[in-house]
Amino acid sequence: MLSQSAAPVLLFLLPAFALFYIAAEIYLRHPQHPSNRAASAFILCFVVIFAGFYLSMVMSLESARRLHFHLIEPAAFMSAGFGMKFYLSVTRLEQRISRPVRAVLYFLPAVAAYILLQIGGTLLADVVESPSGWRYARYGVVFEIMVSSLLLYISAGTLLLLYARRKAGSSRARAMYTVLLANGFFSILWGFGIAMISRWVEGLSWTVSLAFHCTIVWAVTVRYVVLKYDFLPHYSRKFEALFNLSPFGIALLDGNADIKEMNRAARRMMIRHGGDGTEASVLDVLPAAHRPAAMENYRRRFAAPQGESGFEYTMLDVKGEETTLLVEADFLEVDGERLMLLIIRDITEEKKRMAEHLEAKDRYREIAELLQVVSRTTNDGIWELDLATNRLRFGILGGQELGGRQGADMSMNDIMEFVHPEDRDAVQGICESHRLLGTPFECEFRFLHEDGTYIWVYCAAEATRDDSGQPLRLIGSIKDITERRRAQEEIAYLAYHDSLTGLPNRLLFHKRLSEAQQDVRGRKKKGLAVLMLDLDQFKLINDSLGHHTGDVMLQYAAGELQHLLRPGDLAARMGGDEFAVLLTDIADVEEAMAAAEVILYRFQLPLRAGGLELFSTASIGVAFGLGGDCNADLLIRGADMAMYAAKEQGRDRVAVYSPGMTDLVNERMELENGLRRALEREEFVLHYQPQTDAATGRLVGMEALIRWESPERGRVAPDRFIPVAEESGLIAQIGSWVLRTACRQNREWQCMGLPKVTVSVNISVLQLKRRPFVEEVQSILKETGLSPQYLCLEVTESVAFRDEAIMEVLGQLTALGIRIAIDDFGTGYSSLSLLNRMPVHILKIDRSFISGLPEQPSSVVQAIISMSHHMDLAVVAEGVETEEQLELLRLLGCDEIQGYYISPPLPPERFVRFLSGIESA
């Protein structure tokens, strides 16, 4: 049996600590959320009660009585107020009740109980001690009525959950309210049950102290609700409202296309297309004959989440009218179940409006073409001017064309008052010239409409003359050409602006540059500067993350560029990822360089594209011309050459044009052209560098390294032509050749009886992003007969961690038995959590960490080796050149060695001799 000293600890003190922990956990999960705060306050009341019960057991009887009157009983009634606050908060009814009424509901029970206890004292309640030493409260009839009212008060709060459950808009919310409802009813039944037992069963009066233990179950249940449903707090509740109020149809489906959740808009769509809104599956609205095929397509889509995310679906509604739905799909997990999220938009009217818009644009274009060949005069609106009286009379449609003015005739002077002030002199001049000299009367001008706006009109006329040639009257036509003018302005805008970024295009840039060139001529102390800007590695980003991301990135870059310019300067998109900037009123090249440096700094910061933060620096070329020395074509050509020079110098920099740059640009172009011919002429060769076991010196592998033996240039270093191949996209073709050649060579050596070792081949991101790359590798292995275990593919650290798609490809290659190595490890920003789950077998420590050994500290190398071994990864040290480096790496536990200390890269015939030497040794 428990001793009397242990029982209070177990029954009261330990529950107090447990409840305090749960209250703190619930509060800290969402400190600002009212439901969390109310639940924590409710539980803390019982922490006070349990602590009070414990103290009442260990202190004197008189002190226990005072503790009951001043703390325990008021805290019990205070808990009722906080319980009501919790129920009102979690059911979202709290804000519907005024603040004074809420104050009464929350604090009246505790205040009333405290006052009555102070007045009534032991007549209402008293603390007694049983023969066994157990102390408990004995209540008078009045206080028992108060306690019963308290339980009914809490019951009323619990019943609010029934109302909230009926109004809940989702099954998730209903499930949460069901759990809380069951918990509330259990607590009430426990409280009433204990009260009845202590009141009516003789000898069990002491059990009244156990009535509050139901709060332990209540607190544990609320904690469960917090962890599983989070009380559907800020975001969940708001998203629930958005879910139901969204004009788009939203549905959650399981793997059998059964509807788990569906909002009102989706339900209306179901009804519109023949359903009643209560269907169990979205496929139920389809004709029965179409459902099997639709289910097969759905399951295929559900099993392949990386497929097409959006598609259009055309079907007939209940009226037999054709409707078009745009369906976008995504996947998410809810309570551990994988569901498909469908967002459905009815785009029927949108497509109709688009078709009408395209038809209208075509019609306006036809009108613009026809206007070039129509006669000088038209019959749209007829007017006549009597030159003797200066009175103008409208004919058919004439008044309508003149801004809707009808009725009495007006004088020519009256009409001229409605002509736009800027056009008035020109119209009067044309009229007088035709009347006196007989020149053609044709003009376009702005005319004030009755609604207060100006319209554009086209006017043509001819004078009738007497026998002496004197004009008698003018008879002409007038036409409202407002829409034509707008169409012309739109066409002109499209002709001179880039459709993606809205920036001026190459044509407008040339035009503005030529105009600025004319302005600065004769101004000896002012000049112009042209900046050509190219985004570094943009092609890589575009190919790896998709054209949409690339387009968003270009738009963001264009906006940033415009933001940095001064008034009067001009930014344009010249094509692709190339931009041009025109700086006017520039005093010297240093001023142009300063502006370019500002732009360069901004592009060193991340660019935001589609929710991603991308890093793409810029290479900027600057060309400056002063006064009469400014030549538009030379400035553009010079800035372009300077930009290529900046790229050649390592990118992310500004270069100023100098005459010697012409040779550099020509050399790069010739290098790219030479690369395109090198594959056809078989100018590439592979050299092989051995990889040996660090401990035994045994040959374990070799790395295939490409060399270019150009007839015109001689041997071209890889760091000279590889960047050009990557920028031009030729790296994919070259990489395929390297892979095929290395596999064939390794297999030939194995067939000659030479040691069977692994050949390592470097792979670029462009190869990994090509859809058939895995199939290409399989085909090469089959073609050459090389076993997959003797092939290792090396990817750089930055490529390996680029995105999930590349990791998936690496996983497929690993499944074939091919080994994967991370090359140049330590030079990027790898995530250890990603590295731990990547399909990687080998880490190759970059030569920059090895070159300083043993003089420099080896802590980084030791850390990489230790981390790799904990991940079951082999470690290869690159760039080992001395015996001291080898000995240190052995001590650090490095697995394999590669570097000039073992052997430089060797051509095939010399590598055969190396293999033979190893074999004989």
Side-chain angles (χ1 to χ4, degrees):
M1 292 183 61
L2 292 172
S3 67
Q4 187 172 339
S5 60
V9 173
L10 293 175
L11 291 176
F12 300 121
L13 192 58
L14 289 182
F17 282 120
L19 290 176
F20 181 80
Y21 172 80
I22 294 174
E25 183 180 15
I26 292 173
Y27 175 78
L28 292 176
R29 187 167 180 85
H30 287 296
Q32 302 303 320
H33 192 258
S35 297
N36 291 65
R37 292 159 66 179
S40 301
F42 189 30
I43 297 172
L44 285 175
C45 285
F46 292 103
V47 173
V48 172
I49 293 171
F50 279 110
F53 276 138
Y54 171 76
L55 292 174
S56 69
M57 290 291 183
V58 298
M59 59 176 44
S60 66
L61 185 61
E62 187 58 33
S63 297
R65 287 193 178 99
R66 287 197 299 270
L67 190 67
H68 263 269
F69 292 152
H70 295 287
L71 181 65
I72 297 176
E73 302 302 343
F77 281 85
M78 178 64 76
S79 70
F82 283 120
M84 180 60 72
K85 178 176 176 58
F86 169 74
Y87 288 126
L88 288 174
S89 174
V90 80
T91 57
R92 290 181 277 177
L93 298 173
E94 188 174 25
Q95 298 304 318
R96 302 184 187 182
I97 303 173
S98 65
R99 189 182 297 272
V101 174
R102 277 185 281 164
V104 171
L105 289 174
Y106 300 159
F107 299 108
L108 180 62
V111 173
Y114 184 80
I115 294 173
L116 289 174
L117 284 169
Q118 304 313 310
I119 295 174
T122 56
L123 295 177
L124 293 177
D126 193 10
V127 176
V128 297
E129 184 173 314
S130 67
S132 63
W134 189 267
R135 294 173 182 173
Y136 59 92
R138 176 177 292 166
Y139 300 119
V141 176
V142 174
F143 203 79
E144 286 182 347
I145 295 174
M146 290 174 60
V147 172
S148 300
S149 302
L150 178 66
L151 289 173
L152 291 174
Y153 183 79
I154 297 175
S155 302
T158 306
L159 292 176
L160 293 175
L161 295 170
L162 281 173
Y163 171 80
R165 188 181 183 280
R166 292 184 58 190
K167 296 294 184 180
S170 66
S171 59
R172 184 174 173 83
R174 287 192 293 272
M176 182 192 75
Y177 289 130
T178 300
V179 173
L180 290 175
L181 193 61
N183 182 42
F185 282 134
F186 169 79
S187 301
I188 294 168
L189 291 176
W190 178 285
F192 273 114
I194 293 298
M196 294 300 100
I197 291 173
S198 63
R199 180 72 176 84
W200 302 107
V201 178
E202 186 175 356
L204 294 180
S205 300
W206 61 271
T207 59
V208 69
S209 302
L210 303 179
F212 295 101
H213 281 71
C214 64
T215 57
I216 300 174
V217 178
W218 191 94
V220 171
T221 305
V222 172
R223 178 181 179 274
Y224 166 79
V225 169
V226 170
L227 295 179
K228 184 174 179 62
Y229 302 101
D230 243 355
F231 286 142
L232 306 176
H234 328 288
Y235 41 85
S236 297
R237 290 184 175 178
K238 291 178 181 177
F239 281 125
E240 181 182 353
L242 290 174
F243 178 79
N244 285 315
L245 296 176
S246 172
F248 303 148
I250 304 175
L252 281 174
L253 312 180
D254 62 11
N256 296 317
D258 291 335
I259 300 171
K260 308 294 287 187
E261 291 284 347
M262 178 171 62
N263 70 347
R264 298 166 189 166
R267 189 171 288 108
R268 288 194 297 268
M269 290 181 182
M270 298 281 284
I271 295 172
R272 180 180 175 186
H273 292 89
D276 59 8
T278 62
E279 285 74 17
S281 170
V282 292
L283 305 182
D284 290 346
V285 297
L286 298 178
H290 295 174
R291 292 176 192 169
M295 176 59 78
E296 182 180 351
N297 290 335
Y298 176 83
R299 287 175 174 165
R300 188 185 307 113
R301 176 68 183 86
F302 196 89
Q306 300 300 324
E308 183 182 11
S309 61
F311 57 90
E312 292 184 7
Y313 193 84
T314 303
M315 58 191 303
L316 298 178
D317 62 11
V318 291
K319 299 179 181 178
E321 298 177 353
E322 189 176 90
T323 60
T324 303
L325 303 178
L326 176 62
V327 182
E328 297 183 24
D330 202 349
F331 292 86
L332 55 114
E333 286 197 10
V334 177
D335 298 337
E337 182 181 8
R338 183 165 168 270
L339 301 177
M340 178 185 285
L341 172 67
L342 293 184
I343 300 178
I344 311 165
R345 284 199 300 132
D346 188 338
I347 60 171
T348 307
E349 292 301 321
E350 184 178 330
K351 289 182 73 69
K352 286 181 181 178
R353 288 194 298 272
M354 180 61 71
E356 292 172 356
H357 175 70
L358 293 176
E359 183 182 352
K361 293 196 71 168
D362 291 340
R363 186 167 61 251
Y364 294 149
R365 190 179 298 110
E366 292 173 1
I367 291 173
E369 294 172 355
L370 289 173
L371 285 174
Q372 299 177 8
V373 296
V374 294
S375 174
R376 292 182 179 179
T377 60
T378 66
N379 294 321
D380 290 349
I382 306 300
W383 57 271
E384 178 185 11
L385 174 64
D386 189 330
L387 295 176
T389 62
N390 200 32
R391 305 296 295 178
L392 187 138
R393 185 165 56 90
F394 297 134
I396 301 174
L397 299 178
Q400 296 179 11
E401 296 299 329
L402 284 178
R405 291 177 174 81
Q406 300 286 348
D409 295 341
M410 293 181 287
S411 69
M412 189 62 177
N413 295 334
D414 295 334
I415 290 296
M416 294 304 297
E417 290 296 322
F418 297 111
V419 177
H420 195 283
E422 296 178 2
D423 302 334
R424 196 171 296 157
D425 291 342
V427 174
Q428 288 177 333
I430 291 173
C431 183
E432 286 299 309
S433 178
H434 178 72
R435 185 173 67 85
L436 298 176
L437 303 176
T439 56
F441 188 121
E442 292 183 33
C443 59
E444 295 179 1
F445 55 91
R446 286 161 289 180
F447 196 84
L448 186 64
H449 197 275
E450 278 189 337
D451 62 7
T453 62
Y454 280 97
I455 61 173
W456 278 95
V457 295
Y458 169 78
C459 188
E462 191 74 32
T464 60
R465 303 176 184 272
D466 59 16
D467 295 339
S468 63
Q470 292 297 317
L472 301 175
R473 61 177 59 85
L474 289 177
I475 300 175
S477 65
I478 190 168
K479 177 180 178 63
D480 184 345
I481 60 167
T482 305
E483 291 300 323
R484 193 193 77 182
R485 293 284 299 210
R486 287 176 182 167
Q488 289 175 339
E489 291 171 0
E490 181 180 352
I491 292 170
Y493 180 86
L494 294 175
Y496 286 105
H497 288 79
D498 176 53
S499 60
L500 177 63
T501 63
L503 290 179
N505 60 13
R506 183 183 295 270
L507 288 175
L508 184 55
F509 185 81
H510 275 273
K511 182 179 178 182
R512 294 288 174 82
L513 178 58
S514 298
E515 294 171 355
Q517 171 189 335
Q518 297 298 324
D519 290 341
V520 299
R521 283 187 176 173
R523 300 169 61 188
K524 296 183 179 180
K525 295 185 178 180
K526 288 294 182 180
L528 301 175
V530 172
L531 278 56
M532 299 297 291
L533 180 149
D534 189 81
L535 298 180
D536 298 330
Q537 301 293 342
F538 175 78
K539 179 174 176 60
L540 191 64
I541 293 173
N542 203 37
D543 291 340
S544 59
L545 298 181
H547 294 292
H548 174 71
T549 301
D551 289 347
V552 175
M553 185 174 178
L554 288 174
Q555 291 169 339
Y556 190 83
E560 291 297 313
L561 198 57
Q562 283 185 301
H563 180 70
L564 295 173
L565 297 184
R566 307 170 304 169
D569 294 339
L570 179 71
R573 183 186 178 203
M574 306 299 276
D577 61 331
E578 189 174 299
F579 297 88
V581 176
L582 171 62
L583 303 177
T584 58
D585 290 330
I586 298 295
D588 50 38
V589 71
E590 285 76 15
E591 187 178 351
M593 281 285 292
E597 291 289 350
V598 171
I599 297 174
L600 183 72
Y601 172 75
R602 174 59 193 90
F603 279 85
Q604 289 170 343
L605 302 176
L607 298 175
R608 292 173 178 82
L612 301 175
E613 280 196 348
L614 302 176
F615 290 85
S616 178
T617 56
S619 298
I620 303 176
V622 179
F624 172 75
L626 189 63
D629 296 333
C630 291
N631 181 285
D633 293 333
L634 292 180
L635 285 175
I636 292 176
R637 192 179 306 120
D640 205 41
M641 291 181 183
M643 179 192 71
Y644 279 108
K647 282 185 171 292
E648 290 293 322
Q649 296 167 14
R651 303 187 182 95
D652 188 21
R653 64 190 64 236
V654 177
V656 180
Y657 171 74
S658 63
M661 287 183 177
T662 304
D663 296 334
L664 291 176
V665 174
N666 292 336
E667 180 184 353
R668 188 192 181 284
M669 293 178 62
E670 291 175 2
L671 191 66
E672 182 176 335
N673 293 333
L675 276 174
R676 296 184 184 277
R677 295 189 295 267
L679 277 174
E680 302 172 3
R681 298 178 178 180
E682 299 182 353
E683 297 175 4
F684 292 120
V685 296
L686 291 184
H687 287 192
Y688 300 88
Q689 187 171 33
Q691 298 168 339
T692 62
D693 187 288
T696 65
R698 181 177 59 86
L699 181 69
V700 294
M702 55 187 170
E703 181 177 0
L705 301 169
I706 189 170
R707 298 292 184 263
W708 182 14
E709 304 288 350
S710 172
E712 296 86 7
R713 300 171 182 81
R715 176 172 293 179
V716 184
D719 59 358
R720 181 78 179 88
F721 69 84
I722 291 297
V724 177
E726 289 177 342
E727 289 182 10
S728 62
L730 293 172
I731 193 66
Q733 301 174 42
I734 296 174
S736 296
W737 178 86
V738 171
L739 181 61
R740 178 175 283 101
T741 304
C743 290
R744 183 186 295 113
Q745 184 68 79
N746 195 17
R747 179 56 182 162
E748 288 177 0
W749 285 337
Q750 290 179 3
C751 292
M752 292 168 58
L754 297 175
K756 292 185 177 182
V757 295
T758 300
V759 62
S760 298
V761 179
N762 291 282
I763 301 299
S764 72
V765 65
L766 292 181
Q767 290 176 272
L768 290 170
K769 296 297 288 187
R770 291 169 64 183
R771 289 184 179 273
F773 180 68
V774 177
E775 291 79 359
E776 180 185 359
V777 174
Q778 288 179 296
S779 174
I780 289 174
L781 290 174
K782 182 177 180 181
E783 172 189 329
T784 60
L786 183 68
S787 175
Q789 66 182 355
Y790 296 116
L791 174 62
C792 176
L793 299 181
E794 295 187 7
V795 294
T796 61
E797 189 176 3
S798 59
V799 169
F801 295 91
R802 184 172 293 277
D803 57 34
E804 291 290 338
I806 288 181
M807 292 175 64
E808 182 180 349
V809 172
L810 296 179
Q812 295 174 4
L813 293 169
T814 302
L816 298 177
I818 298 169
R819 305 181 78 193
I820 303 298
I822 301 297
D823 197 13
D824 300 335
F825 185 79
T827 59
Y829 301 93
S830 302
S831 166
L832 293 181
S833 61
L834 282 177
L835 180 63
N836 195 33
R837 63 185 182 89
M838 279 190 64
V840 175
H841 308 88
I842 302 169
L843 289 187
K844 300 188 72 174
I845 304 176
D846 186 69
R847 65 181 67 250
S848 62
F849 294 100
I850 306 300
S851 60
L853 299 178
E855 291 79 8
Q856 296 179 358
S858 60
S859 55
V860 174
V861 176
Q862 184 176 6
I864 294 175
I865 294 174
S866 176
M867 176 198 69
S868 302
H869 288 167
H870 276 87
M871 294 182 179
D872 293 329
L873 301 178
V875 181
V876 178
E878 294 183 294
V880 179
E881 298 182 354
T882 67
E883 184 176 359
E884 291 79 5
Q885 291 174 345
L886 174 60
E887 291 302 326
L888 178 58
L889 289 168
R890 282 175 176 167
L891 291 175
L892 295 177
C894 183
D895 300 298
E896 299 175 14
I897 299 298
Q898 179 180 343
Y900 274 69
Y901 181 74
I902 306 300
S903 170
L906 301 172
E909 59 276 6
R910 290 186 58 191
F911 196 80
V912 169
R913 293 197 293 272
F914 183 88
L915 285 174
S916 301
I918 291 293
E919 184 179 24
S920 62

